Amino acid sequence: QVQLVESGGGLVQPGGSLRIACTASGLALMKYPVNWYRQAPEKEREVVVLQGYTDDSTTYADSVKGRFTISRDIVKKEAYLQMNSLKSEDTAIYFCNVKVFTTKWDDYWGQGIQVTVSS
């Protein structure tokens, strides 16, 4: 059974930074692109970062471009979303996501982690 788990969220002041991590069990996380989504209160889930499945492309939402960066630690088997210059509108639950294609697409999600940007 595949399980994704986010960690590292919390409360941060506007202008601050936070890094959230995604780990996996039942899945070789480092073999796959890791996408990031978020859902603000009373809003639909939206893409933060999408990684290409068959290429090395990385697409950031316009709202986070230049402020957010993804990375991974192969030794720790963790994927990261580094968030800098945080704004109140970045407040949301953040989800990591992995899409795996075998004979069909399987979509795996973490449970989400709260990021609150407030003074």
Side-chain angles (χ1 to χ4, degrees):
Q1 183 178 357
V2 175
Q3 185 176 15
L4 302 182
V5 178
E6 300 91 346
S7 61
L11 174 65
V12 62
Q13 292 187 341
S17 297
L18 202 62
R19 188 181 76 168
I20 52 179
C22 178
T23 57
S25 59
L27 179 76
L29 186 65
M30 297 296 99
K31 288 178 59 178
Y32 301 101
V34 177
N35 308 303
W36 293 90
Y37 291 73
R38 68 184 181 187
Q39 187 166 16
E42 301 182 357
K43 291 189 176 181
E44 293 190 355
R45 191 173 299 188
E46 63 177 5
V47 171
V48 178
V49 187
L50 280 179
Q51 288 198 277
Y53 195 79
T54 58
D55 58 28
D56 291 331
S57 64
T58 301
T59 303
Y60 293 88
D62 288 342
S63 58
V64 307
K65 207 171 289 184
R67 300 188 297 122
F68 289 14
T69 307
I70 58 170
S71 63
R72 58 179 60 202
D73 186 321
I74 294 175
V75 174
K76 293 184 178 179
K77 299 180 182 178
E78 294 182 343
Y80 305 107
L81 178 66
Q82 176 69 43
M83 304 180 288
N84 299 327
S85 303
L86 282 161
K87 307 174 182 179
S88 58
E89 51 263 45
D90 294 319
T91 294
I93 299 173
Y94 284 74
F95 301 86
C96 61
N97 163 261
V98 175
K99 306 181 194 303
V100 177
F101 184 81
T102 52
T103 56
K104 62 178 178 64
W105 284 105
D106 288 311
D107 220 0
Y108 301 108
W109 294 89
Q111 82 287 351
I113 194 160
Q114 180 69 47
V115 171
T116 302
V117 184
S118 175
S119 55

